[in-house]
Amino acid sequence: MNLMIPAQPMPFEALTPDAYRQLEHAASLKGLLKPFKGKGELDHLAQVAREIEAQLCHLMEAVVQQAGQPPYSLLDIRLVLQNTSAGSTFLRWRTRDFARMGVAVWERQVRNKTQPQAVREGLHRFECNRIALNLQMSVVHSLYRQASTCAIKMASAERLLRQFTTAAEISR
């Protein structure tokens, strides 16, 4: 598809430290590296991870919105949000007709010699944001899953102890 792409695309607004400011405070690992006293603390950790996932989704949506502006919207490529069966969201490159997906789609656009250099550089910045946000989402989602699983296991251990303690008291 041969479209007229302006030589100077809209200025790309990078994800700045301000965009991450709220996440920075919520995502401290200080609360992770401690002895957990019960299911409640693990449930809280899982809840915090879920909240961070939601905030990461908002950042992803902002990147998708920028990638949907000209001149990028004129290309045969889209940056889209993909929800997974595991319950998380990732950024993926797709062709306009959704026939192909993945980094190869992005690479083909960057390698296209007819693309202005400014467009290539913009695509590069989108790809770097995509990589970083997907990493962050993966780590936070894994933390959520682990905290949730551990909360269930801890609750089970507490139930078993209560049952044994109650049975021992009755037999006295």
Side-chain angles (χ1 to χ4, degrees):
M1 178 178 277
N2 243 350
L3 299 173
M4 292 298 293
I5 307 289
Q8 289 301 316
M10 283 180 49
F12 177 83
E13 294 184 31
L15 293 176
T16 65
D18 285 340
Y20 279 92
R21 187 97 43 228
Q22 206 172 4
L23 286 169
E24 192 176 281
H25 297 294
S28 169
L29 291 179
K30 185 174 80 175
L32 174 63
L33 303 174
K34 67 176 188 172
F36 289 96
K37 295 177 183 152
K39 175 186 179 299
E41 290 182 350
L42 290 163
D43 282 336
H44 178 71
L45 179 61
Q47 177 188 344
V48 168
R50 268 297 193 216
E51 290 167 3
I52 294 169
E53 278 186 317
Q55 292 171 341
L56 283 170
C57 274
H58 288 303
L59 292 178
M60 289 176 164
E61 288 167 357
V63 172
V64 166
Q65 189 175 12
Q66 281 191 339
Q69 300 296 315
Y72 310 106
S73 61
L74 302 174
L75 302 174
D76 187 33
I77 189 172
R78 297 287 175 265
L79 189 58
V80 297
L81 292 169
Q82 181 184 35
N83 297 318
T84 68
S85 59
S88 58
T89 303
F90 292 99
L91 289 168
R92 303 282 191 242
W93 290 110
R94 289 192 167 233
T95 55
R96 184 187 297 234
D97 63 4
F98 283 79
R100 296 185 134 166
M101 179 175 81
V103 175
V105 171
W106 172 82
E107 288 175 352
R108 188 173 22 193
Q109 290 296 316
V110 172
R111 287 187 175 130
N112 181 345
K113 293 178 182 181
T114 64
Q115 292 294 10
Q117 184 63 24
V119 171
R120 281 195 196 109
E121 290 170 5
L123 288 170
H124 173 260
R125 287 188 298 270
F126 286 128
E127 175 63 357
C128 289
N129 277 320
R130 186 192 73 79
I131 291 166
L133 286 166
N134 283 353
L135 162 76
Q136 291 162 336
M137 181 61 80
S138 180
V139 168
V140 171
H141 188 72
S142 180
L143 179 60
Y144 163 76
R145 281 193 346 255
Q146 291 293 326
S148 297
T149 299
C150 288
I152 291 166
K153 290 177 181 178
M154 197 168 285
S156 178
E158 289 170 3
R159 253 189 325 277
L160 181 62
L161 178 63
R162 276 196 310 274
Q163 288 171 355
F164 180 76
T165 303
T166 304
E169 289 173 356
I170 292 172
S171 66
R172 285 186 202 175

